[in-house]
Amino acid sequence: MKKIFTVLLAVGMILSSSACSGTTSDSSEKADTDTSRVQTDSEKTAEEQSKPTTASSSANSPLALDTWGIASKYCTKNQSYVNVPVKVTRIIRGGQAAETVKEFTQKSKSYTYTEPEKDTEWAVAEYEIYLDGFPVDDGGADSSITSFISGLGGGNILKDGEPFGTVTLNITDGKYYYDGTVSGKIAYIIPKKSKDYVIAVGEYEETQTFFSEKALSENSG
């Protein structure tokens, strides 16, 4: 009888040891899963924090210097327009702007330099686009974006009391990117000393954001 009791006690100890071992394994697997989930959430949070905070705008209420807005950029991978954060960082005018345009057109096979008419001059708006999350194919994406120039409120620009029309020239470095913040320039001819105009960035009838040199000047002091 004592021998049987000893055998049963040994079997019980073995079963108890196996149960404890199984419990430890389950806890370890659960801990690994929890750690993996926490790391993923942390990475996601970091990505969200790095994305620019954007502001809304309109032709009547354009954005100022270094303020991110949202504009549509054509995506060759999707063959459609995709919204990206964009901001204007600086506007230069006159001789410095003209030299920038000349340098670009001299290297271009598609554009030739145009001399501004009397009382008008070249202006160049430097901008940045945030491409993280923008769909790209194997060839990547350049830094170009559609833009238009209009008067404040979306009306005509006036020169000597008459409507003045102008078109934009997109200047890029010719490189292609897959993510990150990339730079480009928008060049256009504008009446000298005139700041009562708006740069609309983004395709017409798609998402656009608006910038004003007048707002930029006031913001920069």
Side-chain angles (χ1 to χ4, degrees), residues 12 27 31 33 36 41 59 83 106-107 116 144 151 153 164 201 204:
S27 299
T33 302
S36 176
D41 290 346
N83 292 340
Q106 285 171 358
K107 299 176 182 179
S144 66
F164 177 85
V201 182
Y204 181 68

Side-chain angles (χ1 to χ4, degrees), residues 114-117 120-123 149 164-167 187-191:
T114 300
E115 192 69 36
E117 298 177 356
T120 67
E121 62 184 356
W122 279 104
I149 305 295
F164 177 85
T166 187
V167 296
Y188 47 94
I189 294 174
I190 203 77

Side-chain angles (χ1 to χ4, degrees), residues 52-64:
T53 300
T54 58
S56 60
S57 65
S58 68
N60 289 305
S61 182
L63 299 177

Side-chain angles (χ1 to χ4, degrees), residues 4-192:
I4 294 174
F5 176 76
T6 302
V7 171
L8 290 175
L9 179 62
V11 171
M13 291 177 66
I14 292 173
L15 291 175
S16 176
S17 175
S18 298
C20 291
S21 176
T23 302
T24 302
S25 176
D26 290 344
S27 299
S28 177
E29 289 176 2
K30 183 177 181 181
D32 290 343
T33 302
D34 290 345
T35 301
S36 176
R37 180 181 60 78
V38 170
Q39 289 174 344
T40 302
D41 290 346
S42 177
E43 290 171 0
K44 183 178 180 181
T45 301
E47 290 177 2
E48 290 174 347
Q49 290 177 345
S50 66
K51 187 174 181 179
T53 300
T54 58
S56 60
S57 65
S58 68
N60 289 305
S61 182
L63 299 177
L65 183 69
D66 279 337
T67 303
W68 289 98
I70 290 288
S72 58
K73 174 177 169 60
Y74 188 73
C75 173
T76 56
K77 181 176 182 178
N78 294 350
Q79 295 187 351
S80 62
Y81 287 93
V82 175
N83 292 340
V84 294
V86 59
K87 68 177 178 180
V88 170
T89 58
R90 185 169 72 137
I91 292 181
I92 58 175
R93 297 180 64 150
Q96 185 180 357
E99 287 302 314
T100 298
V101 178
K102 286 179 182 178
E103 183 179 349
F104 175 74
T105 54
Q106 285 171 358
K107 299 176 182 179
S108 174
K109 297 180 180 179
S110 304
Y111 301 98
T112 56
Y113 180 76
T114 300
E115 192 69 36
E117 298 177 356
K118 182 181 177 181
D119 296 327
T120 67
E121 62 184 356
W122 279 104
V124 173
E126 300 176 355
Y127 66 84
E128 293 181 354
I129 296 175
Y130 183 78
L131 288 181
D132 282 14
F134 184 80
V136 294
D137 50 27
D138 293 340
D142 65 12
S143 61
S144 66
I145 196 164
T146 306
S147 60
F148 307 90
I149 305 295
S150 71
L152 288 174
N156 292 319
I157 299 172
L158 298 178
K159 178 179 178 293
D160 299 327
E162 298 294 328
F164 177 85
T166 187
V167 296
T168 62
L169 172 64
N170 213 157
I171 299 176
T172 68
D173 57 11
K175 298 179 181 179
Y176 289 82
Y177 303 88
Y178 297 89
D179 53 26
T181 301
V182 300
S183 303
K185 299 179 178 71
I186 298 168
Y188 47 94
I189 294 174
I190 203 77
K192 288 183 177 180

